[in-house]
Amino acid sequence: MRFNVLTLFPAMFAPLQESMIGRAVEKGLLEFNIVDIRDYSRDKHTKADDYPFGGGQGLVMMPQPAFDALAACGAGRTRNIYLSPRGRILDRALAEELAGEEEITLFCGHYEGLDQRVIDAWQMEEVSIGDYILTGGEMAALVLIDVTARLIPGVLASESSALDESVYSGLLEYPQYTQPRSFAGLDVPEVLLSGNHKKIALWRYEQSLLLTKERRPDLFAAYLERHPALTKDEALVLEKVRG
Ligand code: ADE
């Protein structure tokens, strides 16, 4: 999958070279084309923003550098997203949809925003990562890339990891422990050392249910609605937690 990322701050995308995403690039599963919008400014001072018509605070990103940068990366044939607090909230469903695309172009706004003509002419979808205002779209683009990339087959170490985890089964993840068994007087729950895989699975299921009921009653209610297929023992655990 290929991401074109248009930004005034290309250095903010250095993290894409690290960790799982960096490895996916090396494996050829992901490709990033980070474009400095300023490189497309025809102004002799590489100006990319100006005062808003009608007055008001701050600067607005100008259409010319944006249009030329978008044309140069072939945004006429890609799904185009403008990261913006006005947009559709990014969630699992949207990430799954995006993971099915071959190529996406992300436009990162800065200052007070982007000239509306760019959004309209390039048929940009607006996507927000939450109800708060960031200083620019770069961090939001990184979040969108990360959540989408991990759904692409081969990006995670184990194929099943993306499905196993919390929201994917509709529950929050149970607590995890590793070596040593005892650390600073703090012990790992006995059941995890028992070697009884059935007992361990039931304990984890119960922990997931308890956490979800306490922290995310909305997800817990949706889980009950879904009537998941359960073994007899799992059904008993669910009954107990549900109360
Ligand atoms: N730009 C500024 N705030 C944002 C947000 N919450 N989501 C996406 N892009 C943004």
Side-chain angles (χ1 to χ4, degrees), residues 61-125:
M61 291 172 73
M62 298 161 77
Q64 179 275 312
F67 263 66
D68 288 357
L70 284 159
C73 68
R77 51 169 175 78
T78 63
R79 186 162 176 174
N80 301 329
I81 293 177
Y82 173 49
L83 283 313
S84 145
R86 298 194 306 203
R88 168 179 171 187
I89 299 278
L90 177 62
D91 61 7
R92 174 173 55 110
L94 179 54
E96 270 167 9
E97 199 185 306
L98 297 177
E101 300 283 345
E102 295 250 301
E103 183 170 356
I104 293 180
T105 299
L106 303 176
F107 195 101
C108 305
H110 243 273
Y111 315 119
E112 288 312 301
L114 172 62
D115 190 300
Q116 185 65 36
R117 290 168 291 184
V118 181
I119 300 169
D120 295 342
W122 291 86
Q123 297 174 8
M124 290 182 168
E125 293 165 53

Side-chain angles (χ1 to χ4, degrees), residues 83-197:
L83 283 313
S84 145
R86 298 194 306 203
R88 168 179 171 187
I89 299 278
L90 177 62
D91 61 7
R92 174 173 55 110
L94 179 54
E96 270 167 9
E97 199 185 306
L98 297 177
E101 300 283 345
E102 295 250 301
E103 183 170 356
I104 293 180
T105 299
L106 303 176
F107 195 101
C108 305
H110 243 273
Y111 315 119
E112 288 312 301
L114 172 62
D115 190 300
Q116 185 65 36
R117 290 168 291 184
V118 181
I119 300 169
D120 295 342
W122 291 86
Q123 297 174 8
M124 290 182 168
E125 293 165 53
E126 295 187 49
V127 173
S128 165
I129 62 161
D131 288 336
Y132 38 76
I133 313 286
L134 301 164
T135 55
E138 283 76 10
M139 304 277 192
L142 286 169
V143 169
L144 183 149
I145 289 166
D146 193 276
V147 74
T148 303
R150 66 191 294 288
L151 297 176
I152 295 167
V155 170
L156 292 187
S158 136
E159 279 295 306
S160 59
S161 299
L163 284 175
D164 275 353
E165 279 170 46
S166 50
V167 182
Y168 290 88
S169 64
L171 296 174
L172 301 182
E173 204 178 7
Y174 50 79
Q176 298 272 22
Y177 299 87
T178 186
Q179 299 287 356
R181 288 174 175 218
S182 186
F183 175 75
L186 305 167
D187 294 333
V188 171
E190 200 57 43
V191 58
L192 298 177
L193 312 174
S194 69
N196 183 334
H197 296 294

Side-chain angles (χ1 to χ4, degrees), residues 5 7 20-21 25 48 53 55 58 102 132 136 148 161 186 213 225:
V5 183
T7 173
M20 309 289 271
I21 305 290
V25 172
F53 279 125
E102 295 250 301
Y132 38 76
T148 303
S161 299
L186 305 167
K213 187 181 173 197
E225 262 321 285

